[in-house]
Amino acid sequence: MPRPEPISFRRSTLGGDVYEALKSLVLEHRLSPGDRINIDALAREFAVSPTPIREALARLESDGLVRKRPLAGYTVSPLLTRAEFDAMFEMRLLLECASTRWAAERADAARREAISAEAATTVASEEDDPDGWHAAFTALDARFHDLVAEASGNDLLRDGIDRLHAHLHLHRRYFPYAQAGATLEEHRRIAAAIQAADPDGAESAMREHLTRARERHLPAFD
């Protein structure tokens, strides 16, 4: 897959910008699972020194998106095996059902409104934006789940959910756009239950969403 146009970074946010740019390369499979990462080549491509590249890779290793091996350097983490994928969704069911229940119980009015607004957001179709819809849909999905986790009031739970999502997004290159509408409708049902301060309804809606999301990703293993 061709690389995007050269990226310009602001000095004041250099470290964070390089991290986000590298993360995008991994999640978009411009750096594919299993690829060896050439720090010097990336530094030249981004027109930065190797230091912010190394710092970004250390963060991505913490996220589980890259791996570091002695004498071999960094490689992009492989896609999850079927067993690892199933284990990830078991963890998501445990963590995200709890976070959604707590969001419905604890969220203030501003956070409820933010979740509802995000759930109402749509993305361009694959026909209208063949190069950008995947990134837009992935970002939208990540923001929605993060807003729900934030509204739970438990920062450790939010961090754990964020790390699980990083692994899922590696599989999103195989996600069929035809299923995006179902995902967004499930988000709206979750948001409505949180807005109504209905913990049972919110937890049930999230459980249904995650169960169906798992099914939508299974073709990646065929």
Side-chain angles (χ1 to χ4, degrees):
M1 184 181 294
R3 293 289 178 83
E5 292 299 316
I7 303 169
S8 297
F9 299 110
R10 293 175 295 171
R11 185 175 297 276
S12 61
T13 59
L14 181 62
D17 288 348
V18 170
Y19 165 74
E20 291 297 338
L22 282 180
K23 185 175 181 180
S24 178
L25 291 181
V26 171
L27 294 181
E28 291 292 319
H29 289 204
R30 293 188 178 102
L31 288 171
S32 299
D35 278 358
R36 189 170 179 224
I37 297 172
N38 187 317
I39 292 175
D40 291 334
L42 285 171
R44 289 192 297 270
E45 181 177 340
F46 290 170
V48 299
S49 74
T51 299
I53 301 293
R54 291 192 183 95
E55 291 172 348
L57 288 171
R59 291 179 64 183
L60 291 172
E61 183 183 18
S62 178
D63 293 338
L65 292 177
V66 302
R67 295 180 176 179
K68 186 178 183 182
R69 293 188 174 90
L71 304 179
Y74 287 98
T75 58
V76 179
S77 295
L79 293 175
L80 297 176
T81 66
R82 175 61 188 273
E84 291 169 336
F85 176 84
D86 289 340
M88 179 192 68
F89 265 90
E90 288 175 354
M91 285 295 296
R92 289 191 70 190
L93 282 165
L94 286 172
L95 298 182
E96 295 203 61
C97 288
S99 74
T100 308
R101 165 173 284 277
W102 291 339
E105 292 174 343
R106 301 172 179 176
D108 57 24
R111 284 189 170 88
R112 294 179 199 274
E113 288 295 336
I115 291 168
S116 294
E118 191 64 38
T121 302
T122 58
V123 295
S125 70
E126 186 173 11
E127 287 185 356
D128 293 337
D129 188 10
D131 296 325
W133 82 266
H134 167 263
F137 176 74
T138 297
L140 184 151
D141 182 70
R143 284 195 306 270
F144 178 78
H145 284 271
D146 185 60
L147 283 171
V148 173
E150 180 186 34
S152 75
N154 187 315
D155 290 340
L156 287 176
L157 184 62
R158 181 186 181 189
D159 183 63
I161 290 169
D162 181 64
R163 290 173 185 274
L164 287 174
H165 272 247
H167 292 288
L168 176 64
H169 291 322
L170 283 172
H171 284 269
R172 285 205 183 278
R173 292 304 307 173
Y174 309 102
F175 185 86
Y177 182 81
Q179 300 291 332
T183 297
L184 299 179
E185 178 57 34
E186 290 158 16
H187 285 181
R188 287 190 281 271
R189 287 199 288 269
I190 294 165
I194 292 173
Q195 183 72 270
D198 176 6
D200 290 338
E203 180 178 352
S204 176
M206 180 60 82
R207 187 176 301 280
E208 180 182 9
H209 170 53
L210 293 177
T211 299
R212 292 185 175 181
R214 177 183 173 278
E215 294 170 355
R216 287 190 284 266
H217 282 86
L218 286 179
F221 297 98
D222 292 342

